[in-house]
Amino acid sequence: MRRLESYGIDYIVQTVNDNVLNLYFGRRECLDAIRLIVTRPLHQLTPEEDFILGALLGYDICMQCERYCKRRRMQDECSHDCQSCECVS
């Protein structure tokens, strides 16, 4: 993080647990959008939120589309009302 600061690069730190964190860095406009989207652990994001985050992070858009469709199919097939089943991860 010191290196990012020394280059004047904005960043967000999201603590996952005592040993793991997510670090997002880049332009302030993108980080502002990430702050609005990532309001809970990543495995709890909706397929739509996951897709937008991946696009913002610069992941291959075709792979993001495939990932989105797979997650939506899993979610649509799931009859559970929970946050721990595979349809939300």
Side-chain angles (χ1 to χ4, degrees), residues 39-47 49 71 75 78-89:
T39 59
R40 56 191 174 280
L42 295 180
H43 73 277
Q44 292 180 2
L45 295 181
T46 67
E49 291 166 333
R71 290 190 73 204
Q75 184 181 53
C78 181
S79 61
H80 301 97
D81 184 24
C82 65
Q83 289 295 313
S84 62
C85 63
E86 289 183 20
C87 64
V88 295
S89 49

Side-chain angles (χ1 to χ4, degrees), residues 6 8 11 15 17-18 30 33 40 43 45 47 53 55 65 78 87-88:
S6 72
Y11 63 91
T15 303
N17 61 41
D18 290 339
C30 295
R40 56 191 174 280
H43 73 277
L45 295 181
L53 179 61
C65 290
C78 181
C87 64
V88 295

Side-chain angles (χ1 to χ4, degrees), residues 51 54-55 57-67:
F51 178 85
L57 296 176
Y59 294 148
D60 179 272
I61 198 68
C62 290
M63 290 180 73
Q64 280 302 111
C65 290
E66 289 177 19
R67 178 180 168 91

Side-chain angles (χ1 to χ4, degrees), residues 20-71:
V20 178
L21 58 86
N22 293 321
L23 178 66
Y24 307 98
F25 57 92
R27 293 184 59 155
R28 181 165 303 279
E29 299 88 350
C30 295
L31 295 176
D32 289 344
I34 289 171
R35 276 187 194 92
L36 294 172
I37 294 167
V38 182
T39 59
R40 56 191 174 280
L42 295 180
H43 73 277
Q44 292 180 2
L45 295 181
T46 67
E48 291 78 12
E49 291 166 333
D50 180 79
F51 178 85
I52 293 168
L53 179 61
L56 283 170
L57 296 176
Y59 294 148
D60 179 272
I61 198 68
C62 290
M63 290 180 73
Q64 280 302 111
C65 290
E66 289 177 19
R67 178 180 168 91
Y68 170 74
C69 291
K70 179 182 175 186
R71 290 190 73 204

